[in-house]
Amino acid sequence: RDAPARAGEHPHRLAIAAETREPLIAALTAFLAGAPHDALSTGLAPHAAPTPRRPVFVFSPQGAQWIGMGRHLLADAPAFRASFHRSDRVYADLTGESLLAALLADGPADRWRDVAVVEPLLVALEIALADQWRAWGVLPAAVVGHSMGEVAAAHIAGALDLADTLR
């Protein structure tokens, strides 16, 4: 279960050229017996520095936890704050509404169930969080998202500009 998932991490190599099951079994049997076989090739991988692993950024759909986290990061994380303010300006140009005002507003919990408010707000929060991680030097190998998280992931991947993302 804890074994590496990529063959590149194992030093030993085994290759078998076979078109059907029978020659494959014969070559594997020879390998296990330590005997030579024409279809069999073994060796060691050349020594190379390990490739650093990078995370995958996963962008989730709606969740109330984002509001409190966003408020704290807005106060404490400069790259998050700059990114969120950038989204707020673009969104205000598009709609005349403020994502910052929505984030900081106190009000009934029902307001956070209104998709017209919460969806663009959560996308802006996810983008700002990804920008903060990148400012800390954490760069993703890939991005994925579910539901509204797909929109944020598309922006971080470079597939959507900020205006199209927030639209």
Side-chain angles (χ1 to χ4, degrees):
R1 183 168 190 146
D2 293 331
R6 298 180 307 183
E9 295 183 20
H10 299 285
H12 297 278
R13 299 291 184 259
L14 169 66
I16 298 173
E19 292 183 13
T20 63
R21 184 174 185 260
E22 289 76 23
L24 176 64
I25 291 172
L28 285 171
T29 302
F31 171 75
L32 291 174
H37 191 281
D38 289 341
L40 184 65
S41 178
T42 63
L44 292 173
H47 179 68
T51 303
R53 293 183 186 219
R54 292 185 6 217
V56 172
F57 286 2
V58 179
F59 295 86
S60 65
Q62 296 182 18
Q65 73 279 6
W66 287 98
I67 304 306
M69 179 202 67
R71 289 175 177 169
H72 288 289
L73 287 171
L74 195 61
D76 298 333
F80 180 93
R81 183 173 43 255
S83 176
F84 189 83
H85 281 289
R86 191 169 37 258
S87 290
D88 184 49
R89 285 189 304 276
V90 169
Y91 189 73
D93 288 345
L94 292 169
T95 67
E97 301 290 326
S98 171
L99 294 172
L100 182 61
L103 177 63
L104 299 178
D106 289 324
D110 288 345
R111 178 165 172 77
W112 303 118
R113 290 189 188 101
D114 180 0
V115 295
V117 173
V118 78
E119 285 183 349
L121 178 59
L122 292 177
V123 168
L125 289 168
E126 289 185 310
I127 290 169
L129 183 59
D131 286 342
Q132 182 61 55
W133 278 107
R134 292 189 299 189
W136 285 329
V138 180
L139 303 175
V143 297
V144 296
H146 172 66
S147 186
M148 288 310 298
E150 292 175 74
V151 179
H155 173 71
I156 295 300
L160 292 174
D161 67 22
L162 190 55
D164 286 337
T165 300
L166 295 170
R167 191 175 291 113

